Amino acid sequence: MPKIAFKIITPERVIYEDEIERLTVPTESGEITVLAKHAPLVSLLKPGEIRLKKDGNTIVMAVSTGFLEIRPNSQVYILADTAERAEDIDIK
């Protein structure tokens, strides 16, 4: 299966960087799923849940506002104000 080069960045650090199979992300226009060879796109993010699929496993992250950029050649970048992996969130 073709892969997507994915990176999510906040002002503090790179939260996640790897090759993934697909990505579901909340945008201002609604939730979209990105697969390899997706058409180029720039969109505003809205706060919500990002779901990545890698090697059959789902990785969940919380994201605030920011930008999504899908580049040619299956490159996807998210520039977010804040983002955290689900297992790193401290409910307290």
Side-chain angles (χ1 to χ4, degrees), residues 4-5 7 9 34-42 68-79:
I4 300 166
K7 185 185 272 191
I9 306 160
V34 179
L35 300 172
K37 300 184 182 182
H38 193 286
L41 171 74
V42 174
L68 165 71
E69 180 182 11
I70 302 171
R71 295 181 180 177
N73 302 320
S74 299
Q75 297 176 338
V76 177
Y77 296 92
I78 291 180
L79 305 172

Side-chain angles (χ1 to χ4, degrees), residues 5-58:
F6 174 71
K7 185 185 272 191
I8 182 166
I9 306 160
T10 67
E12 289 81 32
R13 64 188 173 103
V14 174
I15 301 296
Y16 186 89
E17 180 176 14
D18 206 348
E19 289 194 345
I20 61 173
E21 296 160 11
R22 78 174 174 210
L23 162 73
T24 302
V25 61
T27 71
E28 287 292 323
S29 301
E31 187 175 87
I32 64 169
T33 297
V34 179
L35 300 172
K37 300 184 182 182
H38 193 286
L41 171 74
V42 174
S43 180
L44 291 172
L45 291 178
K46 74 175 194 177
E49 180 181 275
I50 294 176
R51 293 182 306 281
L52 313 173
K53 192 72 136 186
K54 178 177 170 37
D55 300 329
N57 298 314
T58 301

